[in-house]
């Protein structure tokens, strides 16, 4: 467990997380990882796979929130040549590629309901069909899913099936936010700096007050934001890595949502305002992306692209 916790930190929360990884890894149980964006849910999933009996088999990751509903079935199960326009050859889906290994389904609560039914069927009997195919294919995969939403709220909003939740959450793991383990910030920052020094053949060190600045920031983007901040400071530094003060002014303003109305403070950056409108509308429609896109006057594809950009940037929406 000591080795597992090394990449997580030294706080009590990090040790609890490491213990969950160690306990879950040797089993074949489905795991549901819950945590804010940027907390390292895929890192946890890979750690579980790496300690499991399937460690030498494939680890296949797919972001359910980035797949167009019309292509979701083909992405997961593959398709036969000529099954639809553009299908010039047969393709193996995620399940086929992950056979005997681990399939990581990130942002599982964003999966369309129609696909949730098919996923449940595969979990129950271990068989599926490619799009346009009639051959029943058997598959042996371990499922690890993740979400940055409360899955029970998604069930209550009728955007996620309760029976699928029960199948996925055999062993639930919650990844704590960086705010909940502030004592790990300096440890992680030093680790990221050491990795950069090793990659670049340098010997840069943190300036005297750099770690203080890092430890006194809210980190809405969690570990991903911390890593990116260290990298930016590293690139700008000659010998000493300096971190500019990151006080409340540098943090995202809280947004007030009441009765379907969103209040945005004057001076909010345009990108932040756009993100707030999209996320508030998505929440208003219970996660229904089609209705959200229609209300915003954009195509579903544009909405998916925006959401993927927000996810990569590590933003978390805050509503009062």
């Amino acid at each position: 467990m000591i080795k597992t916790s090394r990449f997580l930190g030294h706080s009590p929360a990090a040790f609890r997380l490491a213990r969950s990884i160690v306990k879950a890894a040797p089993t074949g149980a489905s795991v549901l990882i819950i945590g804010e964006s940027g907390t390292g849910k895929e890192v946890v999933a890979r750690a579980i796979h790496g300690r499991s009996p399937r460690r030498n088999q494939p680890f296949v990751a797919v972001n359910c929130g980035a797949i167009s509903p019309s292509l979701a079935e083909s992405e997961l199960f593959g398709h036969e040549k000529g099954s639809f326009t553009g299908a010039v050859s047969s393709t193996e889906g995620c399940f086929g590629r992950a056979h005997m290994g681990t399939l990581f389904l990130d942002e599982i609560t964003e999966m369309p309901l129609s696909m949730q039914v098919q996923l449940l069927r595969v979990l129950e009997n271990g068989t599926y069909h490619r799009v346009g195919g009639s051959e029943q294919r058997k598959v042996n995969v371990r499922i690890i899913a993740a979400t940055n939403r409360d899955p029970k709220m998604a069930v209550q909003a009728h955007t996620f099936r309760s029976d699928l939740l029960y199948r996925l959450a055999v062993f639930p793991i919650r990844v704590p936010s960086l705010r909940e383990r502030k004592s790990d910030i300096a440890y992680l920052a030093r680790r990221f700096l050491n990795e950069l020094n090793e990659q670049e053949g340098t010997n840069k060190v943190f300036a005297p007050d750099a770690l203080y600045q890092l430890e006194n920031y809210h980190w809405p983007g969690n570990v991903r934001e911390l890593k990116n901040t260290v990298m930016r400071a590293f690139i700008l530094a000659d010998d000493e890595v300096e971190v500019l003060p990151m006080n409340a002014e540098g943090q995202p303003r809280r947004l007030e949502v009441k009765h379907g109305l969103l209040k945005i403070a004057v001076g909010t950056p345009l990108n932040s305002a756009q993100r707030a409108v999209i996320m508030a509308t998505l929440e208003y429609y219970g996660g229904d992306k089609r209705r959200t896109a229609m209300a915003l006057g954009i195509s579903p594809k544009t909405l998916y692209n925006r959401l993927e950009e927000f996810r990569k940037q590590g933003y978390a929406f805050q509503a009062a």
Side-chain angles (χ1 to χ4, degrees):
M1 188 167 69
I2 295 175
K3 185 177 180 181
T4 302
S5 65
R6 191 177 301 159
F7 71 94
L8 298 172
H10 292 154
S11 68
F15 273 96
R16 286 193 295 271
L17 177 57
R19 185 174 186 275
S20 295
I21 292 172
V22 170
K23 290 292 186 181
T27 74
S30 297
V31 177
L32 179 62
I33 305 171
I34 305 167
E36 295 180 7
S37 293
T39 49
K41 295 186 289 297
E42 184 169 343
V43 172
V44 171
R46 289 184 181 275
I48 294 172
H49 173 75
R51 294 184 65 100
S52 75
R54 299 173 184 260
R55 67 178 68 89
N56 296 321
Q57 301 300 325
F59 177 93
V60 177
V62 57
N63 188 324
C64 300
I67 304 175
S68 168
S70 61
L71 298 176
E73 186 176 3
S74 174
E75 178 72 22
L76 289 178
F77 305 120
H79 61 260
E80 300 292 351
K81 179 180 179 180
S83 56
F84 54 84
T85 302
V88 296
S89 62
S90 296
T91 301
E92 194 79 86
C94 294
F95 271 93
R97 297 199 302 274
H99 182 57
M100 300 306 296
T102 300
L103 178 58
F104 176 56
L105 299 173
D106 198 8
E107 305 298 348
I108 186 66
T109 51
E110 304 303 312
M111 178 179 283
L113 282 168
S114 59
M115 286 308 304
Q116 293 178 31
V117 175
Q118 297 190 51
L119 174 59
L120 185 61
R121 188 177 302 122
V122 178
L123 295 179
E124 288 175 342
N125 57 36
T127 62
Y128 68 96
H129 293 86
R130 283 180 177 176
V131 176
S134 57
E135 178 187 353
Q136 189 176 62
R137 295 173 175 270
K138 294 190 77 64
V139 68
N140 181 340
V141 299
R142 182 187 193 177
I143 299 293
I144 300 179
T147 178
N148 60 10
R149 297 177 59 189
D150 182 339
K152 292 182 179 178
M153 290 186 65
V155 170
Q156 292 173 4
H158 305 293
T159 60
F160 198 70
R161 295 177 62 97
S162 59
D163 47 2
L164 178 57
L165 175 59
Y166 300 143
R167 290 302 297 263
L168 294 174
V170 175
F171 195 102
I173 293 178
R174 180 179 173 274
V175 184
S177 67
L178 201 52
R179 298 182 299 282
E180 298 173 72
R181 50 193 191 103
K182 291 180 75 71
S183 60
D184 288 330
I185 292 175
Y187 169 81
L188 291 172
R190 290 192 186 99
R191 203 193 86 205
F192 296 146
L193 180 59
N194 290 339
E195 290 175 356
L196 290 167
N197 275 325
E198 187 175 341
Q199 291 171 14
E200 302 298 327
T202 55
N203 192 31
K204 297 181 183 181
V205 296
F206 279 118
D209 67 337
L211 293 177
Y212 172 83
Q213 300 297 344
L214 294 175
E215 289 179 325
N216 285 275
Y217 180 57
H218 186 63
W219 299 111
N222 292 291
V223 179
R224 183 189 295 121
E225 185 184 7
L226 173 62
K227 185 173 185 178
N228 291 341
T229 298
V230 173
M231 182 178 291
R232 284 195 298 271
F234 176 88
I235 293 171
L236 293 171
D238 292 323
D239 298 308
E240 279 197 344
V241 178
E242 297 183 355
V243 178
L244 297 176
M246 296 186 292
N247 52 31
E249 291 299 316
Q251 297 184 30
R253 302 169 186 265
R254 289 189 63 83
L255 305 169
E256 184 178 350
V257 182
K258 287 185 179 179
H259 309 300
L261 298 175
L262 171 66
K263 183 185 291 185
I264 302 177
V266 172
T268 299
L270 186 59
N271 186 56
S272 298
Q274 182 190 69
R275 183 175 67 253
V277 171
I278 290 175
M279 298 306 292
T281 306
L282 186 64
E283 186 173 273
Y284 180 79
Y285 286 109
D288 190 321
K289 294 187 179 65
R290 284 192 173 279
R291 293 177 66 189
T292 298
M294 187 177 298
L296 294 172
I298 58 178
S299 69
K301 181 179 180 181
T302 298
L303 177 60
Y304 278 104
N305 290 340
R306 291 287 187 275
L307 293 175
E308 177 63 9
E309 288 174 11
F310 301 158
R311 186 191 70 80
K312 288 180 179 178
Q313 294 166 0
Y315 287 113
F317 175 66
Q318 296 177 323

